Amino acid sequence: MAIERLGTENDPDVVPLSRIVDVVPEPSREDLIRDAAQILVDEEEILIDDEIDAVPETPQIPFDSNLVEFLNKSDLGKLADDVLQSISADKESRSEWEKTYVDGLKYLGMKFDEMRSQPFQGSSGVIHPILAESVTQFQAQAYKELLPPKGPVKTEIVGARNAEVEMQAERVQDFMNFYIMNVMQEYDPELDMLLFYLPIAGSAFKKVYYDQGLSRAVSKFIAPEDLVVPYEAPDILSAERVTHVISMSKNEIRKQQLAGFYADVELRGDVYVKNRSDIEEEIDEIEGMEPSYAENRDRVVYEVHTILDLPGYEDMGEDGEPTGLKLPYIVTIDEASQQVLAIRRNYAEQDPLKQKINYFVQYKFLPGLGFYGLGLSHMIGGLSKASTSILRQLIDAGTIANLPSGFKARGMRIRDEDEPLQPGEFRDIDTTGGSLRENLIPLPIKEPSNVLMQLLGMLVDSGKRFASIADTNVGDMNQAMPVGTTVALLERGTKVMSAIHKRLHYSQKVEFQLLAKVFNEYLPPMYPYNTGSGPAEVKQTDFDGRVDVIPVSDPNIFSQSQRITMAQELMQLVQSNPDIHGPQGIYEAYRRMYAALGVDDIDSLLQPPPQPQPPMPADAGIENSGLMIGQPQQAFEQQNHQAHIDAHRSLFLTEVVKTTPQAQALIIAHIMQHLQFLSAQMAQEQIGPEIQQQIQMMQQQMQQVPPEQQPMLQGEIAMLIEGFSSPIMAQLTQDLLLSIGQGNEEDPLVQIRQRELDLREQEMAMDQAQFTEKQEQRDQEKLLESEIQKQRIDVQKQVADDKLDVAMQRLEQQAQLKLLELQAKFGGM
């Protein structure tokens, strides 16, 4: 059905309504229902299309954004609950460590208890200072070594050394020392505080990062109780959760919210109901302070470096599906309100492995059995308790002995009995009868025990030996003692402290490496001062990893006394045999001694030994005069070698030199040097243009390759030249020998030696002949002797046979006679 325009009858282009009525038939009820349904379907599709068109495109979230702004409240609430429960479990797992830490704080002796009533009112509350002495001595010693006046950083070049890298190392060292000592104002006092906490708790921490508010790098000290890790964490790097407990004022949190670093959420909750730990209570008691309950009290914020699988920010595989791998994040939560303030990625945007970025450094006093190290509280805490107990007993015993007490009769009255007796005072007493001795019975009080005194001394000595705070009287040692024995005794007495110092050296090295990474990433490209070793626009490129930053402290020497002792022993060794050390060795020994003493401007005190002047080219006559008195001479490339060879050959042919083998050897050796240069010059003239071009190309290539590859190219160039110079050198040598009469002619000494060898051979031949003749004679004598022995044996055998025959005949005769006798006897019968 065609659709025509509707209008009035006067309009020729419009079909009149009457005609449409006549043309269009009246629709049926089924048609109306079907049309209404189609209209509803069409409207629904239009609405759906409009909704699809109205959906905005998902905005691209910057990598360093606070993800709190893009997560829904239910996910944030669940995340906060899970993280806070994990932190609570982590704190509970270190409860025993906190208890030992609190005991160590108690026995520092910084708070004197004057209200003790046991074992009697007014008994002593003194604490033995062995633990406090060990802590303060370690802190003072380590503080001086780890932060010297000129700065704690020195540099070490990684890989090949050249002038550019050496200047870079100098700039890095100067800048880091300047920055730490002058710009990072918190570094000095916080390192001082760290070294005080470290021996008490066994662990202390540093956090190295770039502070946006200060616009500079910082290295903040973190008290051991303010950094919490899981029970199973072996170290900072492998811990899946590291919680930094931060106390922040409301104003500081608001400042971070306005800066966009924290989410702008309302922080509710009562900050006064926070459970203060035993460590905080003990520290407040030592400081004599109590927490304020004013409205501006600091809030506790947990900065948790952990791994999460956030919904909507999962780790995706190559197939576009989530892998289930948890990624590193930094989650900041307000404890009282349990509001998540920030969630930020904690890995580099360009890192395909998404490895965690570490900001923390752990300092350990002694390696513990778990994450936290062991301190003096753990190692000599028991000795401190026992020493304190014995010391209190001794003081209490002395107090009771000086102020005796006892019993008196009930009816006896003493005037002013509540006031103690003063020296020289006699006070009236009203007795009930009997003598005064019968009315007063003093308690049997003893003086302080000598056994307890000895036991106290033994405990204190044991603690001091362990803590390595006993005085090392190096001056009392025998001055004639060998150097090795002195050093061995010194090392034996300080080996515990030396091991602790090595651990501190390692931790400080990690801290400086983290600080160098911050400089490389955040600092402006200009130096704040004139470097003196390069332009001022090379700051960020200087921290490219070619230079390693390490502490200036020596990991093997931890005290100035040890350093001075080592320098003294070195001085004794050098002075005992100065000939083998030379002027330079003596100068260096004195320089190290002054450095160990801490003397400034050593160059103004010491005059370095004169450096030997390099040899200079000399005339042939001067060289001949030196050769005659036995002084070796040096040939130089720029000399006239043929003229020098002729002059030295003439000297060699003189009668004086012919009778002096030493002078001959010196002259020949010097002539050979000139021949070497002469053959090289002649070889250069014979080298063709192709070979010369090849050598020039190799020399240009040698300037472009790294220094470690240059010797190989130099060797190839030398081999090319040697192929031409070696035959020339051989011919020049032969000509020289012929010119001095030592060419093909046989040396008389050789002839004499040959005759001696011939005579020796003749003697050996005669000796061999004599030996052979004597050997044959011995063989004949042995053969004759053997024959005689054989004949002797045959004769003896013949004699024995004859004797046997005679014996047999005699027996036969006796038998015949016996038979005849028997025949005669029986025949007569």
Side-chain angles (χ1 to χ4, degrees):
M1 179 180 63
I3 299 177
E4 300 183 18
R5 294 179 60 193
L6 303 179
T8 62
E9 295 182 357
N10 296 326
D11 189 355
D13 296 330
V14 179
V15 179
L17 182 60
S18 58
R19 291 183 57 190
I20 295 177
V21 172
D22 294 336
V23 174
V24 179
E26 183 178 356
S28 63
R29 184 172 182 274
E30 290 78 6
D31 294 336
L32 293 175
I33 295 175
R34 184 171 57 252
D35 294 341
Q38 184 64 38
I39 291 172
L40 292 175
V41 172
D42 294 340
E43 290 179 352
E44 184 70 22
E45 292 178 354
I46 293 173
L47 290 175
I48 293 174
D49 293 338
D50 292 341
E51 290 179 358
I52 293 175
D53 295 338
V55 173
E57 295 183 358
T58 303
Q60 185 67 27
I61 301 175
F63 183 80
D64 57 350
S65 297
N66 185 358
L67 301 183
V68 172
E69 307 292 345
F70 307 97
L71 293 175
N72 57 56
K73 292 185 178 180
S74 61
D75 291 337
L76 290 175
K78 184 177 182 303
L79 174 62
D81 291 339
D82 293 342
V83 172
L84 290 175
Q85 289 179 8
S86 300
I87 295 174
S88 178
D90 295 343
K91 287 185 176 181
E92 184 65 25
S93 66
R94 67 172 192 175
S95 57
E96 291 297 325
W97 173 84
E98 290 183 352
K99 181 179 178 182
T100 306
Y101 183 20
V102 171
D103 289 342
L105 293 174
K106 290 180 180 179
Y107 283 92
L108 282 178
M110 297 183 180
K111 185 176 184 299
F112 183 74
D113 190 1
E114 297 181 352
M115 302 299 295
R116 285 175 53 85
S117 59
Q118 295 294 332
F120 60 88
Q121 187 67 34
S123 58
S124 175
V126 67
I127 295 177
H128 197 282
I130 178 174
L131 183 60
E133 183 182 2
S134 304
V135 169
T136 52
Q137 287 204 18
F138 165 79
Q139 187 269 346
Q141 197 170 19
Y143 178 59
K144 184 178 180 180
E145 290 296 319
L146 297 182
L147 194 64
K150 295 183 180 180
V153 179
K154 68 178 179 180
T155 53
E156 189 176 69
I157 297 176
V158 180
R161 303 177 67 95
N162 52 49
E164 179 185 356
V165 179
E166 289 179 354
M167 288 191 296
Q168 176 184 347
E170 181 182 352
R171 291 193 298 269
V172 169
Q173 176 176 331
D174 293 343
F175 172 74
M176 290 194 67
N177 285 324
F178 165 79
Y179 204 90
I180 290 173
M181 302 299 292
N182 298 279
V183 180
M184 298 173 61
Q185 300 178 1
E186 78 283 349
Y187 190 89
D188 192 329
E190 294 203 354
L191 177 64
D192 194 8
M193 188 180 300
L194 179 143
L195 294 175
F196 183 78
Y197 272 81
L198 180 61
I200 303 174
S203 292
F205 303 92
K206 279 290 195 76
K207 182 180 180 182
V208 182
Y209 62 100
Y210 185 81
D211 192 305
Q212 298 289 347
L214 298 176
S215 298
R216 64 174 177 86
V218 297
S219 180
K220 299 286 291 184
F221 162 67
I222 301 177
E225 66 270 16
D226 290 337
L227 192 132
V228 186
V229 297
Y231 169 78
E232 63 276 3
D235 51 59
I236 286 285
L237 294 178
S238 57
E240 292 190 352
R241 183 172 54 258
V242 179
T243 303
H244 181 198
V245 183
I246 309 174
S247 294
M248 298 181 66
S249 65
K250 293 181 180 180
N251 187 62
E252 181 64 26
I253 295 177
R254 186 56 184 165
K255 184 188 300 183
Q256 298 291 347
Q257 289 177 333
L258 294 176
F261 191 77
Y262 287 167
D264 192 4
V265 295
E266 184 178 359
L267 301 181
R268 298 179 179 179
D270 191 357
V271 297
Y272 314 134
V273 299
K274 183 179 81 73
N275 295 325
R276 299 174 66 244
S277 65
D278 295 338
I279 298 176
E280 293 174 322
E281 292 179 355
E282 186 64 32
I283 292 176
D284 289 344
E285 187 175 354
I286 291 175
E287 294 179 348
M289 300 176 63
E290 293 183 359
S292 172
Y293 291 97
E295 293 183 357
N296 60 351
R297 186 181 175 192
D298 290 352
R299 303 182 70 93
V300 175
V301 174
Y302 293 132
E303 182 182 290
V304 188
H305 296 239
T306 184
I307 53 175
L308 300 172
D309 190 11
L310 288 179
Y313 301 91
E314 297 87 352
D315 179 60
M316 296 298 179
E318 296 180 356
D319 56 356
E321 296 295 328
T323 62
L325 178 68
K326 295 182 178 181
L327 301 179
Y329 290 92
I330 300 178
V331 182
T332 307
I333 303 176
D334 178 67
E335 182 192 36
S337 64
Q338 299 187 1
Q339 290 282 350
V340 181
L341 298 176
I343 301 176
R344 281 185 165 82
R345 298 178 177 92
N346 190 29
Y347 55 90
E349 184 176 4
Q350 299 80 13
D351 185 7
L353 300 178
K354 297 180 175 60
Q355 295 181 345
K356 177 182 70 174
I357 300 176
N358 179 46
Y359 298 92
F360 301 99
V361 182
Q362 182 180 15
Y363 284 78
K364 281 189 178 183
F365 188 79
L366 293 173
L369 303 178
F371 174 80
Y372 294 99
L374 299 179
L376 294 176
S377 301
H378 305 82
M379 309 309 296
I380 63 172
L383 293 177
S384 180
K385 289 182 181 180
S387 302
T388 298
S389 176
I390 294 175
L391 181 60
R392 289 178 178 180
Q393 292 180 49
L394 292 172
I395 294 176
D396 290 343
T399 301
I400 295 174
N402 291 334
L403 300 174
S405 59
F407 303 95
K408 67 176 182 177
R410 185 179 299 273
M412 187 179 67
R413 296 177 60 189
I414 303 175
R415 185 175 300 175
D416 301 329
E417 61 181 3
D418 293 335
E419 297 180 5
L421 288 171
Q422 300 297 323
E425 178 184 2
F426 290 90
R427 191 168 294 174
D428 296 334
I429 298 177
D430 299 329
T431 62
T432 57
S435 63
L436 182 61
R437 181 173 304 188
E438 294 175 353
N439 288 275
L440 292 175
I441 304 176
L443 292 176
I445 303 299
K446 294 183 178 181
E447 294 290 333
S449 173
N450 291 328
V451 176
L452 286 180
M453 288 288 295
Q454 295 175 2
L455 180 59
L456 178 62
M458 184 183 69
L459 292 177
V460 172
D461 291 340
S462 299
K464 285 187 175 182
R465 282 197 304 270
F466 180 85
S468 298
I469 62 174
D471 294 334
T472 304
N473 295 323
V474 180
D476 296 340
M477 296 181 181
N478 187 4
Q479 297 299 323
M481 186 182 298
V483 174
T485 304
T486 303
V487 175
L489 290 176
L490 182 64
E491 182 181 0
R492 179 182 178 184
T494 58
K495 56 186 177 182
V496 175
M497 186 59 65
S498 179
I500 296 172
H501 180 66
K502 285 186 177 181
R503 282 187 284 273
L504 299 181
H505 182 88
Y506 168 78
S507 299
Q508 196 176 41
K509 178 181 178 181
V510 175
E511 179 185 354
F512 291 158
Q513 290 174 347
L514 293 180
L515 197 59
K517 291 180 180 179
V518 174
F519 291 157
N520 182 36
E521 185 174 357
Y522 290 102
L523 290 185
M526 297 287 291
Y527 274 94
Y529 52 84
N530 185 11
T531 63
S533 59
E537 299 86 3
V538 292
K539 179 186 296 183
Q540 287 186 331
T541 58
D542 279 348
F543 294 92
D544 56 3
R546 292 189 299 173
V547 176
D548 192 14
V549 289
I550 58 177
V552 73
S553 60
D554 189 346
N556 301 310
I557 299 177
F558 64 90
S559 66
Q560 187 176 10
S561 61
Q562 186 182 8
R563 191 175 293 108
I564 292 174
T565 303
M566 297 291 289
Q568 286 178 341
E569 300 303 330
L570 176 63
M571 181 76 70
Q572 292 180 8
L573 285 175
V574 172
Q575 291 177 349
S576 63
N577 199 341
D579 295 336
I580 65 174
H581 293 89
Q584 183 65 33
I586 297 174
Y587 168 80
E588 185 62 27
Y590 275 98
R591 184 178 184 84
R592 295 187 183 184
M593 188 66 199
Y594 282 123
L597 293 173
V599 178
D600 295 332
D601 197 10
I602 301 176
D603 294 334
S604 62
L605 298 175
L606 286 177
Q607 180 179 359
Q611 298 295 329
Q613 296 295 329
M616 300 295 293
D619 294 334
I622 297 177
E623 290 181 349
N624 282 342
S625 62
L627 292 171
M628 287 297 296
I629 60 177
Q631 293 181 354
Q633 301 297 314
Q634 176 66 42
F636 294 88
E637 185 177 4
Q638 63 269 25
Q639 291 176 322
N640 187 344
H641 301 290
Q642 188 60 52
H644 278 256
I645 292 172
D646 295 339
H648 300 325
R649 182 171 56 240
S650 301
L651 177 65
F652 183 86
L653 296 176
T654 59
E655 295 296 331
V656 177
V657 173
K658 287 183 179 180
T659 58
T660 310
Q662 294 83 0
Q664 290 181 345
L666 287 176
I667 295 173
I668 293 297
H670 184 61
I671 292 177
M672 287 300 174
Q673 294 178 3
H674 286 288
L675 288 178
Q676 184 65 37
F677 286 114
L678 183 60
S679 63
Q681 292 177 358
M682 297 175 67
Q684 290 286 346
E685 297 174 357
Q686 296 183 7
I687 294 176
E690 296 181 356
I691 303 297
Q692 291 182 355
Q693 184 177 3
Q694 183 179 358
I695 293 175
Q696 292 177 358
M697 292 177 60
M698 295 175 66
Q699 290 176 347
Q700 294 176 359
Q701 184 180 1
M702 187 171 58
Q703 297 176 357
Q704 300 175 358
V705 300
E708 58 269 13
Q709 298 181 5
Q710 293 179 2
M712 182 177 63
L713 293 175
Q714 290 176 351
E716 294 178 0
I717 295 174
M719 290 178 62
L720 286 175
I721 299 176
E722 187 178 0
F724 291 90
S725 63
S726 294
I728 298 175
M729 181 66 182
Q731 184 62 41
L732 292 176
T733 304
Q734 183 66 25
D735 295 342
L736 173 68
L737 294 177
L738 291 175
S739 65
I740 60 177
Q742 296 187 7
N744 295 326
E745 297 181 1
E746 191 173 0
D747 191 353
L749 296 178
V750 176
Q751 295 177 357
I752 294 173
R753 185 59 180 168
Q754 186 65 39
R755 292 194 191 98
E756 292 178 354
L757 293 175
D758 294 340
L759 293 174
R760 182 60 180 166
E761 290 180 356
Q762 294 178 3
E763 291 178 357
M764 291 177 63
M766 294 176 62
D767 292 341
Q768 183 66 29
Q770 293 177 359
F771 175 77
T772 304
E773 183 179 356
K774 290 181 180 180
Q775 188 68 27
E776 291 177 353
Q777 184 178 358
R778 291 193 190 96
D779 293 340
Q780 292 178 358
E781 290 177 353
K782 288 182 180 180
L783 182 61
L784 180 61
E785 184 178 357
S786 176
E787 187 66 27
I788 294 173
Q789 184 69 19
K790 182 179 179 183
Q791 293 177 1
R792 186 181 295 112
I793 293 173
D794 292 341
V795 171
Q796 291 177 353
K797 182 179 179 183
Q798 185 64 38
V799 171
D801 292 342
D802 292 344
K803 288 183 179 180
L804 180 61
D805 292 340
V806 172
M808 292 296 294
Q809 292 177 4
R810 186 181 293 113
L811 290 174
E812 289 179 356
Q813 290 177 359
Q814 289 178 356
Q816 292 177 359
L817 290 174
K818 190 67 175 177
L819 181 60
L820 292 175
E821 288 179 359
L822 291 174
Q823 290 178 355
K825 183 177 180 180
F826 288 106
M829 293 178 63

